[in-house]
Amino acid sequence: MTREWAFVNAVIRTVDDRDSVADAVLVRDGRIVAVGREADVRAAAGTHCRVRDLGGRTVVPGFIDPHNHLSLTALDAVSLDCSGMLLPSIDELLHEIAGATATMVPGQWARGMNFTPFAVREGRAPTRGELDEAAPNNPFFLLDVSCNRAWANSAALDIVGIDEFSPQPWGGQIERDHAGVPTGALLQAAMNPVQTASWRAIGAADWDATVELLARKMADYAVVGLTGLSDAAVTPDSAEMYARADRQGVLPFTVHQMHTADDFFGKQDLRRIGFSERVRDRESNRLRGGTMKIFLDHGFPDGPIMNRVHEGCHSHTGSAYYGKQEVVELAVAANQLGIRTAIHAMGNWAVDAVLDAYEAVRRTGGNDLLRLEHAYVAEPDQAPRMADLGVDLVAKPGILFGTGPFFDQAWRGAGQAHLRVVPLRSMIDAGVRVSFGSDAPAGPYRPADILWNAVSRMSMTGAVIDADEAVTPEQALRCATINAAYASGREHEVGSIEVGKRANLVVIDRDVVTCAVDEIRGMEVLETIVDGVAIFSVLDHLDTDTDTSGAADRVSTGMEKQA
């Protein structure tokens, strides 16, 4: 049976090439079949089309998060939230860890998420000894909110074999005390053994329960208007989770997988047939692949790879996973295998290295999607080259609120006029296609927060960071919808409200383009629709829908809800 719905009396922000605004849209069997004036949409409707009067509310394309770590946040419900907002001191943190592990089976893995040292009063992380006392019978893994460092107790280190004689791993650092004993602090790739062991012990122990956790987290995302995302570091374990969820039909919207190596910060080897097959596997309505994620520069201990200028002299700071030539070889080899790349580059030197790699890809005839992730501290002068190469920048403006001051003061530093923190406007003005990711859990995943931060540039201290890099509300909306669709390789099917595209729509309580900047952050999602089906709605008590055959009808949300 044909399912047809007309949304009328609304502000329809289509986000098409002209940023057209309509007042009605017609959806038939999950696709958009008409957009424009209400009279024209009604005329195009079938005899039994349900007509929904939205009372002047705004409809935008479904929001897409092109850089999210859903495979980490999926386990939030069975992990301890260790954010400084909830646990503002080390003593409170340790008390919660002790309480959470006291009732666990001895030997069972426990995880803490969202911790950051500068958010607690002591300004430090718990020591290995403190974690041992808090969780004496269980391996415990505490992940920093940035996902670039972690802390483990002795039980966790023993299980994965990290001791005084362990070599420093590729791409990471095991922190040691003056006697050479690991302190429990693990940076970047040094986290891999503990991260992988703990995820497997929790996630792979009961796949059905893990798929249910994934579905619950995606339902949370639907509440804020997300209708698609890219997971920016998919390991074999998380790929298995997604494959099972897809087979069970429980993915409420499409997930685009960006595959990393066997571990979160692992080193890719394209010569391994199994790896390249995993990257290119799984192509369905709700699960996509084909992209490889490459980490280039570190966050800790010395920050991203950067070129700074001091009184005419250059200084170079930061640590890299790969040298410039290695990045070139990886990107070119991936392109020749038909694999897209998304390369993580936070500092300005790293941005140049990625552009060198993508220039080599273009020389080989590669003209597919090329993504650069982050550019947290970069140069406006890099924008024209990025635009000329057709590189998509996936930026994270939502991080400005909490981490912006750290990027500004610790990473950029004083007197660096050539650098900008999260440059948006200079990139867009130069012709770069910019999209907005969240990097959750490192940043907020609510599109309302991300849009507001992109327009306001406001940090939690009240300071405005690089005000000249603010974008307009119209630009912000494009970056969170159609540009994000391009970054996911899905622009032909989603990202704008145009005839022929999938009916992924979000009804919101205000027009984020015309409301005051301070009001953008307060945007509330009233309904999230994927393929013509409401996967979240609070409109039950607000709307009366009518059948164009003449019979008035009360419908729960005006849409069929997906179980």
Side-chain angles (χ1 to χ4, degrees):
M1 178 180 177
T2 299
R3 294 181 301 153
E4 191 170 77
W5 311 91
F7 300 83
V8 302
N9 189 20
V11 178
I12 311 287
R13 293 211 164 268
T14 67
V15 196
D16 63 8
D17 289 343
R18 297 170 295 162
D19 282 326
S20 305
V21 180
D23 56 18
V25 58
L26 180 63
V27 173
R28 181 180 300 141
D29 290 338
R31 293 278 176 174
I32 297 166
V33 294
V35 186
R37 296 184 306 165
E38 179 174 337
D40 295 334
V41 166
R42 284 181 178 272
T47 305
H48 296 287
C49 175
R50 295 298 178 99
V51 178
R52 304 197 60 205
D53 188 325
L54 291 181
R57 300 183 186 100
T58 298
V59 179
V60 297
F63 294 110
I64 300 169
D65 186 345
H67 190 116
N68 187 293
H69 292 287
L70 174 57
S71 50
L72 290 180
T73 62
L75 299 186
D76 278 354
V78 291
S79 303
L80 182 63
D81 188 348
C82 298
S83 66
M85 295 287 289
L86 297 175
L87 304 172
S89 73
I90 293 291
D91 284 345
E92 289 168 287
L93 171 67
L94 295 172
H95 177 76
E96 289 297 317
I97 293 172
T101 57
T103 58
M104 295 178 68
V105 175
Q108 182 180 353
W109 275 90
R111 288 164 61 102
M113 304 285 288
N114 305 321
F115 179 74
T116 186
F118 66 72
V120 294
R121 284 194 288 270
E122 296 84 353
R124 66 172 177 86
T127 66
R128 175 178 176 177
E130 288 171 333
L131 291 176
D132 287 347
E133 290 183 14
N137 301 313
N138 300 87
F140 185 80
F141 173 67
L142 177 62
L143 185 63
D144 186 88
V145 70
S146 72
C147 304
N148 279 260
R149 57 182 172 175
W151 300 267
N153 68 356
S154 295
L157 296 178
D158 289 345
I159 287 174
V160 300
I162 294 178
D163 59 22
E164 295 88 330
F165 303 103
S166 296
Q168 292 293 3
W170 172 90
Q173 180 180 332
I174 302 168
E175 186 181 276
R176 305 176 190 273
D177 64 16
H178 66 281
V181 177
T183 66
L186 306 168
L187 307 183
Q188 275 90 216
M191 294 165 36
N192 284 340
V194 183
Q195 162 82 341
T196 299
S198 63
W199 200 101
R200 284 178 180 168
I202 298 169
D206 185 341
W207 282 115
D208 288 340
T210 300
V211 167
E212 173 60 25
L213 291 173
L214 172 67
R216 285 166 55 186
K217 177 54 68 173
M218 294 182 75
D220 292 342
Y221 286 170
V223 170
V224 300
L226 286 179
T227 63
L229 63 78
S230 295
D231 187 327
V234 175
T235 65
D237 296 320
S238 46
E240 177 66 18
M241 173 185 67
Y242 285 129
R244 287 172 178 264
D246 189 37
R247 287 194 295 267
Q248 293 177 31
V250 299
L251 296 177
F253 52 76
T254 300
V255 174
H256 167 226
Q257 300 173 97
M258 294 159 53
H259 293 268
T260 184
D262 289 349
D263 300 292
F264 193 89
F265 287 110
K267 188 173 186 178
Q268 284 96 343
D269 185 354
L270 287 167
R271 294 169 299 180
R272 287 176 50 200
I273 295 175
F275 174 72
S276 58
E277 287 180 346
R278 167 163 64 91
V279 175
R280 290 180 298 206
D281 193 22
R282 299 303 307 178
E283 194 75 11
S284 70
N285 185 48
R286 293 289 168 91
L287 190 60
R288 308 293 171 86
T291 300
M292 178 175 74
K293 166 73 174 294
I294 303 171
F295 289 97
L296 179 51
D297 50 353
H298 293 189
F300 300 99
D302 49 358
I305 319 174
M306 296 181 58
N307 289 325
R308 292 186 175 87
V309 179
H310 299 276
E311 297 180 352
C313 298
H314 290 265
S315 64
H316 310 284
T317 59
S319 303
Y321 290 93
Y322 298 100
K324 274 192 174 184
Q325 186 56 37
E326 289 180 296
V327 178
V328 169
E329 292 170 359
L330 263 177
V332 170
N335 185 265
Q336 290 173 341
L337 290 171
I339 294 173
R340 294 170 170 170
T341 50
I343 308 180
H344 155 120
M346 299 188 292
N348 62 329
W349 185 96
V351 169
D352 276 338
V354 173
L355 297 182
D356 287 348
Y358 283 156
E359 186 172 339
V361 170
R362 295 300 189 209
R363 285 198 300 268
T364 65
N367 47 10
D368 202 352
L369 172 66
L370 303 174
R371 290 178 44 153
L372 190 153
E373 314 296 304
H374 304 314
Y376 285 141
V377 183
E379 303 174 38
D381 286 349
Q382 294 172 313
R385 185 184 181 203
M386 195 179 300
D388 288 344
L389 289 170
V391 174
D392 277 57
L393 172 60
V394 183
K396 318 298 177 315
I399 281 180
L400 282 168
F401 184 74
T403 317
F406 178 78
F407 290 165
D408 182 16
Q409 298 159 23
W411 282 5
R412 172 171 56 180
Q416 303 301 307
H418 64 301
L419 298 174
R420 295 288 186 278
V421 175
V422 190
L424 300 177
R425 189 61 176 264
S426 56
M427 294 289 176
I428 292 172
D429 286 351
V432 177
R433 187 166 58 213
V434 177
S435 58
F436 292 165
S438 69
D439 207 15
Y445 62 78
R446 284 183 71 234
D449 292 328
I450 296 169
L451 294 172
W452 171 77
N453 243 152
V455 177
S456 73
R457 308 283 302 188
M458 184 76 70
S459 76
M460 62 190 303
T461 67
V464 175
I465 300 175
D466 291 344
D468 57 342
E469 291 294 346
V471 301
T472 68
E474 293 95 336
Q475 289 172 327
L477 184 58
R478 293 192 69 83
C479 292
T481 53
I482 185 61
N483 288 5
Y486 272 101
S488 307
R490 302 182 60 213
E491 72 282 357
H492 60 286
E493 58 178 344
V494 294
S496 60
I497 303 175
E498 298 183 84
V499 172
K501 287 195 171 183
R502 294 165 67 165
N504 289 6
L505 312 169
V506 177
V507 182
I508 53 180
D509 69 341
R510 67 200 67 187
D511 186 349
V512 291
V513 171
T514 59
C515 71
V517 171
D518 290 343
E519 294 178 5
I520 296 174
R521 195 180 189 189
M523 179 196 86
E524 292 292 337
V525 172
L526 304 177
E527 192 162 67
T528 302
I529 300 163
V530 174
D531 293 336
V533 175
I535 61 172
F536 167 75
S537 182
V538 294
L539 292 180
D540 298 39
H541 62 292
L542 296 177
D543 293 291
T544 300
D545 306 334
T546 58
D547 188 314
T548 55
S549 63
D553 192 7
R554 177 69 174 172
V555 180
S556 61
T557 66
M559 303 287 290
E560 288 184 33
K561 280 194 175 180
Q562 178 168 296

